[in-house]
């Protein structure tokens, strides 16, 4: 699985693995892909620096990347407290009642409210970025629009490729115009923030829209056959996120959540605004059902919704309150049926790719070298 | 593009083309695919018989198929009038007001209310079936669940393969258990009735679920690259519907609708219950917006919604009332940008398939015979 892009980046397989876990990112790079650490959960730049150091020490010089969430527009001088104050009391009450109904305990004094959405805030993302640029990251991805021009320029000065996610050809052209090097076409079936256009349709549209920029296909890819399909559609590589959540290197911190992921079918996700205020695919739970119900209060715009629910999500995960317990994940969750090492996942992917190539050659009436 | 299935059926390319237009069905079969005529619009069996005769006379002995809409459960002794009587007055008023707001004229006396949904009714589908079994159709497809056991048996007695559409692996297994020969995996991005699982995820799931039965991939396929992707996912062929709507052989009967299709992008469709009562992907219009608005009356279950809106849809199409004018179509509509002959579409598809095969072989590090 060698494309022009994978050769340029010096990786063995054109597989890009997005993950919030340093151990998974390092394992992906060690296995011949490119591990990309999601930075959104790091509120303290020092923590991020320490984890990047760790990844560097565990990839033996192989390339890795970082994914930040940085809005292109800057909101000057607004503090988190000021944003918090914009959340209506009725919405706070809805969250409180929902948690009470399910008997979700309070966090004890001093227990970290782990999953903070503050990475959405530009100030935080800037701090992450300063740390990242001090490390030899090879790829800087942005999950929320094009990064600001100065960020693109600073990355390019250091020889870092910049990638950005797009859910439509229009998005993708905006990225190209902002000087982005790689567009990640994120289809409807993907986990996390996603648009309505499915990978099968979106990938070739984005490839045409930004030609000759390289495009990675994201959404619905969990096997080598699916990787082959994405590459047939014109992608120069695949961007996988969900698949790593149930690897042995992942530290989800909740056996109940891991079990839910292993048990879920492809029909058990929903595209909901319940987590961040923008449509994001995630496990369907009583949490998403409550927010999406016709008699619910409606979700708040980003970043308000994320701030509103941050503590609740921490409590649900901390106490593993099963009916409410969820996570962003794509429709590919139906294929995640056992815990395996990152290397086993990648080996399986490359074997499946070979099978798909042989199959497609038979259908095309070519025997080809086997 | 030769698979085991296409060889068994004696067609040159593993391309199955669904269309309501006899001229398109015949042209697809002549060009080396398998044209499948949609029967839902035929209320009079004689009309269907005449059109099947015409197809036969224009395919030079090449195989063709028929697609009926037949519910597996029988509702004994219920007349269309009795079903009509179940439609609430408030819903009739909503339709009337919506049409009045857009100044849609009444049909003149004796003008046919062309697009009737009565093909959904079992009595009508049975009549279609009797006609079909008198013709040498090679494939009988059912768009609504598994066909009843006696229908499968009668088809098999005549050497006719039976296909059925599925939106999930569970659906597909039910078809297999009902003796179906071919499963059409219809992804989220497809036109018409569709589930929530995208083609990229659905195709391999259905292939695994019904192995060794052959699976056709439907949804999001309008190019040879997309066909290659579907075949890499394990499909034994592709099932295309939308793509033919803007061919020169199609007789949509509304230049304004053809123009809308040619102008629409992949983001201009919506999955709505507004047409039949079940979620069906179609052009997004002020008609679908009105039905899907939070303050709308809500749609009725199948077949009530179809009966309720049949006359309105005829009037909108007859008078080409642009804001309301729509049709079932998939996300692939973004690729339909010019009127071309069926043969040109198929030639383009097979060339694109060849390009995709070459590309995938380069990525796999095989030069292969070119």
């Amino acid at each position: 699985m060698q494309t022009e892009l994978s050769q340029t980046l010096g990786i063995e397989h054109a597989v890009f693995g997005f993950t919030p876990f340093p151990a998974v990112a390092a394992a992906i790079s060690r296995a011949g892909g490119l591990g990309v650490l999601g930075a959104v959960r790091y509120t303290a730049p020092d923590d991020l620096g320490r984890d990047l150091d760790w990844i560097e020490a565990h990839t033996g010089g192989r390339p890795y990347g970082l994914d930040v969430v940085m809005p292109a527009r800057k909101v000057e001088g607004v503090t988190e407290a000021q944003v918090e104050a914009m959340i209506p009391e009725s919405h706070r009450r809805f969250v409180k009642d929902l948690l009470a109904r399910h008997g979700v305990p309070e966090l004890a004094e001093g227990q970290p409210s782990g999953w903070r959405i503050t990475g959405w805030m530009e100030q935080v993302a800037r701090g992450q970025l300063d740390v990242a640029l001090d490390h030899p990251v090879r790829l800087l991805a942005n999950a929320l629009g094009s990064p600001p021009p100065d960020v693109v320029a600073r990355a390019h000065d250091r020889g870092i490729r910049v990638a950005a996610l797009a859910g439509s050809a229009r998005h993708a052209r905006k990225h190209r115009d902002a000087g982005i090097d790689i567009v990640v076409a994120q289809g409807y079936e993907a986990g996390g923030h996603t648009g309505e256009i499915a990978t099968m349709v979106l990938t070739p549209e984005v490839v045409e829209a930004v030609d000759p920029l390289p495009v990675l296909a994201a959404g619905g890819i969990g096997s080598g056959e699916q990787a082959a399909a994405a590459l047939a559609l014109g992608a120069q590589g695949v961007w996988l996120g969900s698949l790593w959540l149930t690897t042995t290197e992942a530290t989800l911190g909740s056996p109940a959540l891991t079990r839910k992921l292993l048990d879920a079918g492809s029909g058990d996700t929903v595209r909901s605004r319940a987590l961040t205020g923008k449509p994001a695919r995630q496990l369907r739970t009583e949490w998403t059902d409550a927010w999406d119900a016709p008699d619910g209060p409606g979700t708040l715009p980003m970043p308000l919704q994320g701030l509103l629910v941050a503590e609740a999500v921490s409590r649900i995960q901390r106490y593993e309150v099963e009916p409410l317990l969820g996570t962003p994940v794509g429709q590919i969750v139906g294929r995640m049926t056992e815990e395996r090492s990152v290397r086993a996942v990648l080996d399986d992917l490359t074997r499946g790719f070979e099978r798909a190539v042989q199959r497609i050659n038979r259908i095309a009436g070519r025997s080809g070298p086997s």
Side-chain angles (χ1 to χ4, degrees), chain A residues 165-325:
Chain A
L165 269 67
S168 71
R170 191 178 54 81
H171 273 172
R173 277 189 290 263
K174 282 174 69 178
H175 290 326
R176 181 198 57 198
D177 297 345
I180 300 304
D181 307 294
I182 300 165
V183 176
V184 182
Q186 168 106 331
Y188 163 85
E189 55 269 64
H193 292 132
T194 174
E196 302 220 42
I197 305 173
T199 296
M200 185 69 96
V201 174
L202 181 67
T203 308
E205 275 193 358
V206 170
V207 167
E208 274 177 40
V210 302
D211 179 66
L213 282 194
V215 172
L216 304 177
I221 304 168
S223 72
E225 287 81 358
Q226 286 159 331
L231 297 165
L233 294 172
Q236 289 229 9
V238 290
W239 175 274
L240 285 70
S242 304
L243 201 59
W244 320 109
L245 290 174
T246 49
T247 55
T248 47
E249 290 90 340
T251 43
L252 267 184
S254 163
L257 183 54
T258 298
R259 176 48 48 197
K260 269 190 132 174
L261 288 168
L262 295 173
D263 289 347
S266 58
D268 293 330
T269 72
V270 65
R271 199 170 153 264
S272 167
R273 297 178 186 267
L275 209 53
T276 69
K278 281 185 187 281
R281 185 171 300 284
Q282 53 200 284
L283 278 185
R284 183 179 166 185
T285 64
E286 292 190 27
W287 171 265
T288 61
D289 282 355
W291 281 103
D292 297 337
D295 59 346
T299 52
L300 299 173
M302 183 182 280
L304 299 186
Q305 182 75 12
L307 287 169
L308 169 62
V309 307
E311 200 223 24
V313 170
S314 293
R315 285 165 59 188
I316 293 164
Q317 295 197 340
R318 169 75 181 76
Y319 296 106
E320 300 192 290
V321 184
E322 290 218 36
L324 302 175
L325 191 62

Side-chain angles (χ1 to χ4, degrees), chain A residues 40 58 105 180 185 281 303 334 339 370:
Chain A
V40 72
H58 289 82
I180 300 304
R281 185 171 300 284
E339 291 189 75
S370 59

Side-chain angles (χ1 to χ4, degrees), chain A residues 9 137-139 152-162 181:
Chain A
L9 289 167
V137 306
R138 291 294 300 277
L139 181 76
V152 176
R154 284 172 67 195
H156 284 172
D157 282 349
R158 285 165 178 76
I160 300 171
R161 304 273 165 142
V162 182
D181 307 294

Side-chain angles (χ1 to χ4, degrees), chain A residues 61-86:
Chain A
R62 290 170 184 254
Y64 64 92
L66 186 73
D67 182 276
V68 294
V69 182
M70 173 169 283
R73 272 182 312 171
K74 220 169 175 159
V75 187
E76 290 284 359
V78 180
T79 65
E80 188 171 325
Q82 286 169 316
V83 176
E84 287 262 11
M86 295 165 71

Side-chain angles (χ1 to χ4, degrees), chain A residues 38-62:
Chain A
V40 72
R41 307 201 306 176
Y42 293 88
T43 47
D46 285 354
D47 291 346
L48 178 61
R50 201 195 48 225
D51 281 357
L52 290 179
D53 288 341
W54 187 91
I55 289 176
E56 224 174 296
H58 289 82
T59 48
R62 290 170 184 254

